[in-house]
Amino acid sequence: MELKAVIVEDEANSREILRNYLAKYCENITLLGEGATIEEGLKEIKKHQPDLVLLDVEMPFGNAFDLLDKIPGRTFETIFVTAYNQYAMDALNHHAAYYLMKPINIDELIKAVDYVRAIKEKENALEGQVLQARHMGAEGKITLPQQDGFQVLDVSDIYFCKADDNYTEIYLEKKKIVVSKTLKYFEEVLQPYSFARIHKSYLVNVTEVVKYKKGKGGSVVLSNGKELSVSASKKADLLSYFQ
């Protein structure tokens, strides 16, 4: 995959070396911006939303850790590039992907960039997917993609799902989560569990149904007091859960 990168380094010569090495030796990486100070680095990062930031530790009026502390919800990976090895533990505590010592070894730079690429490819493989957790002890859970990663959700916490064009609103006890997947998609994902499609707009957790009201299709009342319409064509499917 193509990586978007930003360099934050106060020495012009070091920025030039990194720029040239990235262009010559690292495939599929685009350098979008450079900064010589913490403030310039923050500006470039916010502007370009990179996948990777190559970051010197010591800079005027602060250091790399001051910069990272200003971006608590960051989604980019960091490669530290420094002449000082005493910062390695601090880099680890700030979740650095790699720690390169100056002068830069080209093979190590290639390895560092490839390592970040592997991380981002794994993240992208999950992006936009809703997956059932399959590890031991994780039965009955699904993951919901979010902008900054994904949320793990107990299926039993879902009261119902509501269609909203190509999106689905997932209703929990105290909040609603919107996911860019169709209700049909969730109908298939939740098929192993007790979820019934009661309407073109609703997929309901049958274990939360406390009352059914008669009618052409009728309606169901959930344990949280929410009442949802049942279409006539889906009535038999719903009632089959209670026979």
Side-chain angles (χ1 to χ4, degrees), residues 12-243:
N13 183 56
S14 294
R15 290 199 303 275
E16 183 179 4
I17 290 172
L18 270 174
R19 187 189 314 126
N20 291 337
Y21 281 4
L22 290 173
K24 187 173 182 179
Y25 300 108
C26 299
E27 297 181 352
N28 298 322
I29 185 166
T30 302
L31 183 60
L32 298 179
E34 299 180 14
T37 65
I38 291 174
E39 292 305 318
E40 288 180 6
L42 281 172
K43 182 178 178 181
E44 292 300 309
I45 290 168
K46 290 178 180 179
K47 177 181 178 182
H48 297 294
Q49 298 295 308
D51 304 303
L52 166 63
V53 174
L54 296 108
L55 185 60
D56 189 13
V57 175
E58 293 194 345
M59 288 179 286
F61 311 109
N63 59 38
F65 309 114
D66 297 324
L67 185 152
L68 294 177
D69 287 341
K70 293 177 183 291
I71 317 174
R74 62 185 183 273
T75 58
F76 58 84
E77 296 296 327
T78 306
I79 295 176
F80 281 90
V81 185
T82 178
Y84 306 96
N85 60 15
Q86 67 263 34
Y87 295 111
M89 184 58 68
D90 286 330
L92 181 64
N93 290 336
H94 281 74
H95 309 291
Y98 219 92
Y99 194 90
L100 291 177
M101 294 293 296
K102 296 178 182 178
I104 298 171
N105 179 288
I106 293 171
D107 289 336
E108 282 297 306
L109 176 63
I110 295 171
K111 186 187 298 185
V113 171
D114 286 345
Y115 181 72
V116 169
R117 193 189 316 280
I119 293 173
K120 302 306 289 187
E121 285 176 347
K122 289 178 182 178
E123 289 179 352
N124 288 348
L126 289 173
E127 187 176 348
Q129 295 185 39
V130 179
L131 304 174
Q132 286 179 238
R134 300 185 185 278
H135 294 291
M136 189 67 67
E139 293 183 5
K141 296 179 184 290
I142 59 172
T143 61
L144 304 179
Q146 297 182 329
Q147 195 168 19
D148 60 349
F150 61 85
Q151 178 178 351
V152 180
L153 190 66
D154 284 312
V155 170
S156 61
D157 289 339
I158 302 173
Y159 282 83
F160 69 97
C161 304
K162 181 181 179 182
D164 183 12
D165 292 328
N166 290 323
Y167 292 82
T168 296
E169 299 173 353
I170 299 176
Y171 286 83
L172 310 178
E173 183 176 5
K174 295 182 178 179
K175 67 176 181 178
K176 174 181 72 175
I177 302 173
V178 180
V179 181
S180 58
K181 290 291 183 182
T182 64
L183 189 61
K184 177 65 175 177
Y185 186 92
F186 277 98
E187 185 177 7
E188 294 174 357
V189 169
L190 295 171
Q191 187 273 331
Y193 308 101
S194 297
F195 280 77
R197 185 72 177 263
I198 63 169
H199 190 277
K200 66 179 182 179
S201 298
Y202 299 121
L203 178 68
V204 68
N205 184 347
V206 176
T207 64
E208 297 296 338
V209 174
V210 297
K211 185 176 183 179
Y212 171 74
K213 294 184 179 180
K214 293 181 179 180
K216 184 176 181 181
S219 64
V220 292
V221 178
L222 305 183
S223 61
N224 63 353
K226 183 71 175 180
E227 184 171 349
L228 304 174
S229 297
V230 179
S231 66
S233 62
K234 299 293 185 181
K235 181 177 179 178
D237 292 340
L238 170 68
L239 296 181
S240 68
Y241 281 89
F242 300 97
Q243 292 176 351

